[in-house]
Amino acid sequence: MTGTAAPFAADDYRARMERAARSAAEAGLAGLLVAPGPDLVWLTGYAPTAVTERLTLLVLAPGQDPVLVVPTLEAPDAAKAVGASALTLRDWTDGKDPYAATAALLAADGRFGISDNAWAMHLLGLQKALPGTSYASLTEALPMLRAVKDTAELELLAAAGAAADATFEEIRKVPFGGRRESEVAADLAGLLRRFGHSQVDFTIVASGPNGANPHHEVGDRVIERGDMVVLDFGGLKDGYGSDTSRTVHVGEPTDEERRVHDLVRAAQEAGVRAVRPGVPCQEVDRAARAVIADAGYGEYFIHRTGHGIGVTTHEPPYMIEGEEQPLVPGMCFSVEPGVYLPGRFGVRIEDIVTVTEDGGRRLNDTTREMVIVD
């Protein structure tokens, strides 16, 4: 992960670390081990400029002060992190065993949650130092750790969504026909940065038959008049994510294209209407999927309806069949049904939605009607 951490204070990070340690205990874990990545940024505000083979690991355990194990040469930078005053730094020098230093902080027979993106060599090193320990990924052990956002986080997500909306309002003005997908994607990236994004994670421009691939890799296909074009773009602004999709048409669409676009728009609306506290995540998926299935296009909706968003653009919770996690005020996730007709075209409409006390609120406000571009 790159980009600047959001402007939180040391007390915010202290409260997050305390809550994470409590959550670990409630889940029956001896503690949490957090490697460089989004979890470490969220918990401490520390994002190493380079992630290398040298071990960096935050150790959180109930009843213990947080400890960040860091290479000596990186300790000065770690000490500058906003959350550093809420933890203890323990550095190790090249030539010493970082796993032995870390093992001294851990229960010899404990089960620990560990960052999904921790390097295998570090996990294996810890297992060798403490063969009685066991581990579970944080997504498995504490999937909701970052899911419920506080007021400040919601404001940052709303600002990221507004920046993505401003990007769409500008991109719809540029020429599409006769230009390569890669050129329009470059325009999207430039606009996201212009409107405040420090990191651009994806700029999907899927024209004509490429639109039937939900995660199409932008290529050199020349966009033609008569093409439907799926636009899906986002990244990080002030440490928090944006992600929105709109489907535009170059010139006048056919009746079928309008009909499919209207169908996806209705499905997206149904998914958003299903959002309210206490509703299982899968009900959002069911609501959107039913609209598309009832119209006879069910087999062409080939992905989940949504994913969480926060300090990363994809994180729990997921709006998918089988996910019974109840929605909680402060959760933020995408609602993005689609229809993908192989060899022909695709349509996707996506907004970020946050759960409120009595329903859901969109963080994207651009039109969901068919947009005609040149």
Side-chain angles (χ1 to χ4, degrees), residues 292-326:
I292 292 173
D294 289 349
Y297 287 87
E299 66 182 290
Y300 303 113
F301 181 9
I302 57 177
H303 55 73
R304 66 196 175 201
T305 292
H307 58 81
I309 190 168
V311 293
T312 57
T313 49
H314 281 208
E315 63 184 47
Y318 299 103
M319 306 302 113
I320 190 170
E321 181 67 30
E323 179 52 80
E324 297 180 350
Q325 167 68 42

Side-chain angles (χ1 to χ4, degrees), residues 143-144 147 149 268 270-272 274-276 279-289 301-309 314-328 330-337 350-355:
M144 296 298 115
K149 276 63 178 179
Q268 206 261 354
V272 173
V275 175
R276 60 185 183 278
V279 169
C281 291
Q282 66 182 4
E283 292 300 329
V284 178
D285 182 85
R286 288 175 176 176
R289 198 169 300 276
F301 181 9
I302 57 177
H303 55 73
R304 66 196 175 201
T305 292
H307 58 81
I309 190 168
H314 281 208
E315 63 184 47
Y318 299 103
M319 306 302 113
I320 190 170
E321 181 67 30
E323 179 52 80
E324 297 180 350
Q325 167 68 42
L327 298 179
V328 176
M331 284 182 174
C332 293
F333 47 85
S334 65
V335 178
E336 51 176 307
E350 173 186 14
D351 295 320
I352 299 303
V353 176
T354 183
V355 185

Side-chain angles (χ1 to χ4, degrees), residues 53-57 68-75 90-99 101-102 122:
E53 74 285 353
R54 293 184 174 95
L55 178 71
T56 295
L57 202 67
L68 182 62
V69 178
V70 293
T72 299
L73 76 170
E74 295 174 9
R90 180 170 296 186
D91 65 315
W92 62 276
T93 58
D94 286 352
K96 302 294 184 180
D97 184 352
Y99 307 113
T102 306
H122 297 322

Side-chain angles (χ1 to χ4, degrees), residues 126-359:
L126 289 171
Q127 287 179 318
K128 184 176 180 180
L130 289 174
T133 55
S134 60
Y135 303 87
S137 73
L138 281 187
T139 291
E140 174 192 343
L142 293 176
M144 296 298 115
L145 180 63
R146 304 194 319 254
V148 179
K149 276 63 178 179
D150 62 25
T151 300
E153 290 181 295
L154 291 174
E155 290 175 355
L156 289 165
L157 283 162
D165 283 357
T167 295
F168 178 71
E169 294 296 354
E170 291 299 312
I171 201 70
R172 61 186 289 185
K173 301 174 185 176
V174 310
F176 277 70
R179 300 178 69 211
R180 298 183 188 278
E181 291 176 341
S182 56
E183 293 175 307
V184 177
D187 288 342
L188 279 171
L191 288 166
L192 284 168
R193 291 190 176 94
R194 186 209 297 180
F195 291 115
H197 282 63
S198 61
Q199 177 175 316
V200 176
D201 285 347
F202 47 89
T203 51
I204 295 173
V205 179
S207 62
N210 289 340
N213 177 0
H215 280 178
H216 168 65
E217 291 287 341
V218 167
D220 289 332
R221 183 182 185 275
V222 175
I223 301 170
E224 301 174 356
R225 188 165 187 82
D227 279 348
M228 195 86 89
V229 185
V230 179
L231 305 174
D232 184 352
F233 50 94
L236 298 182
K237 180 182 185 295
D238 295 325
Y240 279 75
S242 68
D243 185 1
T244 189
S245 300
R246 294 292 186 264
T247 303
V248 302
H249 198 278
V250 186
E252 284 299 316
T254 65
D255 289 345
E256 182 189 21
E257 288 169 333
R258 281 196 180 277
R259 184 169 65 251
V260 173
H261 189 279
D262 287 346
L263 173 64
V264 173
R265 182 163 54 86
Q268 206 261 354
E269 178 65 29
V272 173
R273 284 201 310 268
V275 175
R276 60 185 183 278
V279 169
C281 291
Q282 66 182 4
E283 292 300 329
V284 178
D285 182 85
R286 288 175 176 176
R289 198 169 300 276
V291 174
I292 292 173
D294 289 349
Y297 287 87
E299 66 182 290
Y300 303 113
F301 181 9
I302 57 177
H303 55 73
R304 66 196 175 201
T305 292
H307 58 81
I309 190 168
V311 293
T312 57
T313 49
H314 281 208
E315 63 184 47
Y318 299 103
M319 306 302 113
I320 190 170
E321 181 67 30
E323 179 52 80
E324 297 180 350
Q325 167 68 42
L327 298 179
V328 176
M331 284 182 174
C332 293
F333 47 85
S334 65
V335 178
E336 51 176 307
V339 168
Y340 308 94
L341 303 178
R344 302 181 63 205
F345 65 88
V347 177
R348 182 164 64 259
I349 299 173
E350 173 186 14
D351 295 320
I352 299 303
V353 176
T354 183
V355 185
T356 65
E357 294 297 329
D358 57 2

